[in-house]
């Protein structure tokens, strides 16, 4: 009986070990990004996702939780995670961006997702953009990336 209790305790603790927890505090909003860039310019990583995107969920579970990825996103650049179908307004760079497609499209994209995706490009999540400290797009990726590929891509900015 004692061995069963010990096993249950070990299993419970192993799933809840603080050393295994990932740091997701690095995600900023566009409003926070604007303030951060004004104080300390550095490269930017933009990640656009949707609720229905399987690869987005996979990246959030398997890639954005890896220590090498979280370290890079926390220390080397600013990272913004944004729901491409967000139904609210966002104030960024002195402008108000909305989701004007809410009542007209089956997949309503927010104006920020359209802006960064490119107006003439079909939106395919996950959409990731790397921008330099002057907010110039250096790389655009519309596909799943494993942690190794993402870290290599992030390091290409430096």
């Amino acid at each position: 009986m004692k061995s069963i209790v010990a096993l249950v305790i070990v299993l419970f603790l192993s799933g809840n070990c603080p050393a295994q927890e990932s740091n997701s505090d690095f995600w900023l909003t566009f409003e926070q990004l604007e303030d951060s860039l004004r104080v300390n310019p550095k490269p930017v990583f933009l990640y656009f996702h949707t609720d229905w995107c399987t690869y987005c969920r996979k990246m959030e579970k398997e890639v954005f939780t890896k220590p090498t990825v979280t370290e890079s996103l926390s220390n080397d650049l600013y990272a913004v995670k944004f729901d491409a179908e967000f139904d609210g307004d966002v104030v960024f760079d002195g402008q108000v961006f909305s989701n004007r497609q809410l009542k007209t499209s089956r997949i309503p994209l927010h104006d920020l997702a359209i802006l960064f995706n490119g107006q003439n490009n079909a939106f395919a999540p996950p959409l990731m953009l790397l921008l330099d400290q002057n907010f110039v797009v250096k790389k655009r990726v519309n596909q799943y990336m494993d942690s190794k590929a993402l870290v290599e891509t992030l390091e290409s900015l430096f």
Side-chain angles (χ1 to χ4, degrees):
M1 181 68 162
K2 288 182 182 179
S3 62
I4 292 175
V5 171
L7 179 62
V8 169
I9 290 171
V10 168
L11 289 174
F12 176 75
L13 290 176
S14 68
N16 234 354
C17 179
Q20 293 176 346
E21 290 180 7
S22 64
N23 177 11
S24 61
D25 298 355
F26 53 82
W27 294 118
L28 301 176
T29 64
F30 273 99
E31 292 89 347
Q32 292 168 326
L33 174 64
E34 186 170 17
D35 291 341
S36 298
L37 287 171
R38 188 177 11 259
V39 172
N40 181 26
K42 60 182 180 178
V44 177
F45 174 77
L46 300 179
Y47 168 66
F48 292 89
H49 66 95
T50 62
D51 290 339
W52 50 265
C53 171
T54 304
Y55 288 113
C56 298
R57 288 193 303 271
K58 184 174 181 175
M59 285 193 73
E60 289 165 22
K61 184 178 180 182
E62 297 176 8
V63 177
F64 294 129
T65 57
K66 298 284 189 221
T68 55
V69 174
T70 61
E71 184 178 315
S72 184
L73 291 175
S74 298
N75 300 331
D76 301 333
L77 43 84
Y78 296 122
V80 175
K81 177 180 174 183
F82 190 78
D83 181 352
E85 296 177 335
F86 179 62
D87 61 358
D89 292 341
V90 175
V91 178
F92 182 69
D93 196 28
Q95 298 181 41
V96 177
F97 295 91
S98 305
N99 190 330
R100 294 178 292 154
Q101 296 183 354
L102 274 175
K103 295 183 180 175
T104 61
S105 176
R106 192 172 59 88
I107 302 174
L109 294 176
H110 196 277
D111 288 347
L112 282 169
I114 294 169
L115 175 69
F116 286 104
N117 184 60
Q119 301 225 357
N120 297 325
N121 299 331
F123 181 79
L127 169 62
M128 294 166 280
L129 293 104
L130 289 168
L131 300 95
D132 66 15
Q133 62 218 27
N134 298 316
F135 221 67
V136 174
V137 175
K138 293 298 182 182
K139 185 159 183 103
R140 175 180 281 118
V141 179
N142 282 94
Q143 66 185 29
Y144 173 85
M145 295 178 80
D146 64 23
S147 58
K148 182 180 178 192
L150 181 56
V151 168
E152 288 173 0
T153 301
L154 294 174
E155 288 175 350
S156 72
L157 272 178
F158 308 107

